[in-house]
Amino acid sequence: MLDDEDSPIHPLFAGAPSTTEFKKLRKRIVRETREAIEKYGMIERGQRWLVCLSGGKDSYTLLAILHELQWRGLLPVELLACNLDQGQPGFPATVLPEFLEKMGVPHRIEYQDTYSIVMDKVPQGRTYCALCSRLRRGNLYRIAREEGCSAVVLGHHRDDILETFFMNLFHGSRLATMPPKLLNEEGDLFVYRPLAFVSEADCEKFARAMDYPIIPCDLCGSQDGLQRQQVKMMLDGWEKNAPGRRNKMFKALMNARPSHLCDPSIFDFAGLERRAEGEADFNENVPDLRERD
């Protein structure tokens, strides 16, 4: 990678703070994003990615960091930014097109009034997120196919992944979350989350420091008592009492041990056999934890 002092910058970084703190923040986000891309095998050289831009802090961070990696020759793919205008009343429809034009970022703005569908189909008092997300994802898949993209790229970060894990744990009775790399049901598109190792706090600091024109989500953000908000508050409390707890929990998602869970579909408990008396241990240097666990 070129030295920051000598290399040009992408327009998305024009006006970036020159403070040491911001440089460290940017480098950390770049490093963590690059690590996720490499660890989960996201790069297919010469392919085209549909980078989904909502106008929130996370998607702005995603857009900027991917363009920096591409700018420096570390991401050999074509990037197409895409915003899906879902027809929410009061949505500032000109903000993103003007921003992307100014930054020289190739983009597509798509208008689909999914807002009316959500408001019509979801009973009063119920949350909009599930249906809104399904409609948005379906449109993004369609756009990706129309644009010849191999992947839909989303701005979900480490904290989103953790929150989804606990949502599934508490309300879905399953151990699952949003993976950094996913193949869609049709099998023709990947879904990537390159910010999987990046904290929400870092996304917020980065977008605020860059003074990007943030657009809040007034649809779901206007609803009180969302289960995800409750999970976020719980994780915030844990992090406050034990700094670093979020990172440890996320690392646990990368260190699953099927033999120490309870799902017979992913581990053959019925097929376990005792060693014959006098048979040598499979590895004398590794303690046998089976009885203790």
Side-chain angles (χ1 to χ4, degrees):
M1 183 177 288
L2 299 172
D3 293 335
D4 291 331
E5 303 300 330
D6 302 324
S7 62
I9 60 173
H10 190 278
L12 282 164
F13 286 90
S18 59
T19 63
T20 300
E21 181 182 6
F22 179 80
K23 289 180 179 180
K24 288 182 178 179
L25 171 66
R26 191 197 71 182
K27 287 182 178 179
R28 179 166 65 250
I29 297 176
V30 168
R31 182 184 69 249
E32 291 171 344
T33 302
R34 186 180 179 188
E35 181 182 355
I37 289 172
E38 292 178 351
K39 183 178 289 290
Y40 293 98
M42 298 181 189
I43 294 179
E44 292 179 284
R45 186 176 293 272
Q47 293 294 328
R48 197 181 200 200
W49 288 5
L50 188 75
V51 182
C52 302
L53 189 65
S54 67
K57 64 184 186 308
D58 310 326
S59 63
Y60 276 119
T61 301
L62 174 70
L63 184 73
I65 298 303
L66 291 183
H67 275 85
E68 171 151 357
L69 289 171
Q70 184 195 56
W71 185 265
R72 300 183 183 279
L74 300 171
L75 186 61
V77 301
E78 183 182 348
L79 301 175
L80 176 67
C82 177
N83 171 250
L84 178 64
D85 181 344
Q86 296 179 262
Q88 293 173 222
F91 181 79
T94 62
V95 170
L96 285 171
E98 290 176 355
F99 173 81
L100 294 168
E101 288 287 350
K102 179 181 177 181
M103 298 298 168
V105 173
H107 62 277
R108 172 171 169 174
I109 305 296
E110 177 84 4
Y111 178 82
Q112 291 290 331
D113 184 10
T114 64
Y115 174 84
S116 297
I117 298 175
V118 171
M119 297 303 291
D120 179 61
K121 298 295 184 183
V122 177
Q124 187 173 4
R126 300 289 297 273
T127 58
Y128 307 133
C129 297
L131 179 58
C132 181
S133 177
R134 286 199 300 272
L135 293 172
R136 181 172 61 250
R137 188 66 58 86
N139 277 289
L140 292 174
Y141 285 168
R142 172 183 57 79
I143 295 168
R145 295 182 182 108
E146 291 174 358
E147 295 290 346
C149 296
S150 63
V152 172
V153 187
L154 306 174
H156 295 129
H157 45 64
R158 181 200 68 184
D159 298 76
D160 288 325
I161 293 173
L162 264 181
E163 290 164 15
T164 301
F165 170 78
F166 281 103
M167 291 282 289
N168 280 314
L169 179 67
F170 295 153
H171 305 289
S173 300
R174 60 183 179 270
L175 297 179
T177 189
M178 301 183 295
K181 181 179 181 179
L182 176 73
L183 187 64
N184 71 337
E185 292 183 359
E186 293 79 6
D188 65 331
L189 291 169
F190 283 118
V191 177
Y192 293 151
R193 298 181 173 93
L195 298 185
F197 296 165
V198 179
S199 72
E200 181 177 18
D202 278 355
C203 290
E204 185 171 0
K205 291 176 186 175
F206 180 84
R208 185 172 63 246
M210 291 302 307
D211 197 27
Y212 291 140
I214 304 299
I215 302 173
C217 177
D218 294 327
L219 178 60
C220 57
S222 63
Q223 295 182 282
D224 296 324
L226 293 179
Q227 295 171 347
R228 185 172 291 273
Q229 292 175 348
Q230 295 172 11
V231 169
K232 183 185 289 289
M233 291 173 60
M234 177 192 73
L235 294 176
D236 285 343
W238 288 352
E239 185 70 22
K240 181 178 180 180
N241 293 329
R245 178 68 59 84
R246 267 192 171 97
N247 198 43
K248 288 183 178 179
M249 289 189 291
F250 184 82
K251 287 183 177 179
L253 295 180
M254 301 171 63
N255 188 26
R257 299 186 179 183
S259 65
H260 286 54
L261 295 173
C262 307
D263 188 346
S265 70
I266 61 174
F267 186 81
D268 185 14
F269 292 99
L272 279 177
E273 296 182 357
R274 292 186 299 273
R275 291 193 301 274
E277 184 176 353
E279 183 179 342
D281 196 351
F282 64 94
N283 188 339
E284 295 180 356
N285 296 322
V286 178
D288 189 343
L289 302 179
R290 282 172 291 185
E291 291 186 3
R292 189 177 69 184
D293 291 342

